[in-house]
Amino acid sequence: MTRAVLFDVDGVLVHGYHAKPEKQIRWDENLLADLGIDPDVFRKEFIYDIFVKKVIVGQMSLLEALDRTLPRLGYRGPSMAFAGYWLSHDSNVNQPLLDVVGKLKARGDSRLYVATNQEHMRAQWLWQQLKFGDVFEDMFHSARVGATKPHKPYFDWVSNRIGPQAEPPLFFDDSEDVVKGARAYGWEAVQYDNLEDVTRHPWIASRLA
């Protein structure tokens, strides 16, 4: 009998943004030196505004949003080049965890998915460039869904895609709020902090033995 097992991206499959600030590995640490944009201003003017409000839920493309924002931040280069910088600097893969996912895939009794608040371009980058498509069956990213975790419409959409389950889906996420939301929805959710949170989970440990 197979079980759906889902993993978040940032703070879980990729070392970068993390719900705990002390664990964050910033992609924009050298943004001012490299591209002339103050990362604090970028976060305030872009991330916490148009990105969160429009891009992450699929109402606007990343490039369109960058085209609208970057000129007033003093950036005169192509938005595509900026996006490439962002993607390549935010790709610190958690390889030990992906190795565990690969072992689960090889057993054949897990249906493995990515569940992430993500826009389309990075989702495609993760799937093709970082090879997530080699180990996961599908990626449920918020821009595709039209809703973000931990809101109920997100879980409704994913549940409809994966279909009826004999066991509750098992979900790993670094965000306490998302974990609480998934549990309230009826999933088994684990707050991810390190690899052992996955490998020591009884269901997974029994398959890695």
Side-chain angles (χ1 to χ4, degrees):
M1 183 179 298
T2 61
R3 185 178 190 183
V5 186
L6 304 97
F7 298 87
D8 179 37
V9 172
D10 296 298
V12 181
L13 293 169
V14 172
H15 299 302
Y17 177 82
H18 196 285
K20 296 180 179 179
E22 68 273 14
K23 285 183 166 287
Q24 291 183 12
I25 299 176
R26 291 176 49 186
W27 70 269
D28 59 1
E29 188 171 12
N30 298 309
L31 188 61
L32 183 59
D34 291 344
L35 298 182
I37 299 175
D38 186 320
D40 293 331
V41 174
F42 180 75
R43 284 193 294 273
K44 179 182 177 182
E45 298 289 327
F46 184 80
I47 298 294
Y48 300 135
D49 188 51
I50 194 169
F51 185 76
V52 171
K53 294 174 182 176
K54 298 285 188 179
V55 178
I56 206 73
V57 289
Q59 296 178 8
M60 182 182 293
S61 74
L62 176 63
L63 289 176
E64 181 182 355
L66 289 173
D67 284 342
R68 292 187 180 193
T69 307
L70 291 178
R72 73 169 183 263
L73 301 184
Y75 180 74
R76 296 292 177 259
S79 295
M80 185 68 81
F82 183 93
Y85 177 95
W86 186 353
L87 292 171
S88 62
H89 285 74
D90 203 10
S91 297
N92 189 4
V93 171
N94 185 351
Q95 192 58 52
L97 178 55
L98 279 176
D99 291 343
V100 170
V101 174
K103 291 177 182 177
L104 292 174
K105 178 181 175 66
R107 279 190 55 93
D109 58 356
S110 307
R111 296 184 65 193
L112 301 162
Y113 302 105
V114 179
T116 178
N117 289 342
Q118 207 74 237
E119 54 81 31
H120 292 303
M121 182 177 281
R122 186 162 182 245
Q124 194 77 5
W125 174 274
L126 293 165
W127 198 253
Q128 294 183 329
Q129 191 72 20
L130 300 189
K131 309 294 186 183
F132 281 21
D134 291 350
V135 288
F136 292 102
E137 182 175 332
D138 206 346
M139 177 184 293
F140 307 131
H141 62 284
S142 57
R144 175 186 179 190
V145 175
T148 56
K149 302 175 296 179
H151 301 106
K152 184 176 179 294
Y154 178 89
F155 295 114
D156 284 339
W157 193 96
V158 173
S159 293
N160 183 61
R161 294 292 299 188
I162 65 179
Q165 302 290 308
E167 293 183 80
L170 175 58
F171 178 40
F172 296 93
D173 198 290
D174 64 307
S175 166
E176 182 179 3
D177 288 343
V178 171
V179 167
K180 287 180 177 178
R183 288 173 178 168
Y185 192 78
W187 290 9
E188 181 183 357
V190 176
Q191 188 169 355
Y192 182 91
D193 193 56
N194 54 56
L195 184 64
E196 286 71 28
D197 293 320
V198 174
T199 58
R200 292 179 181 173
H201 183 279
W203 191 89
I204 291 180
S206 67
R207 281 145 181 84
L208 299 177

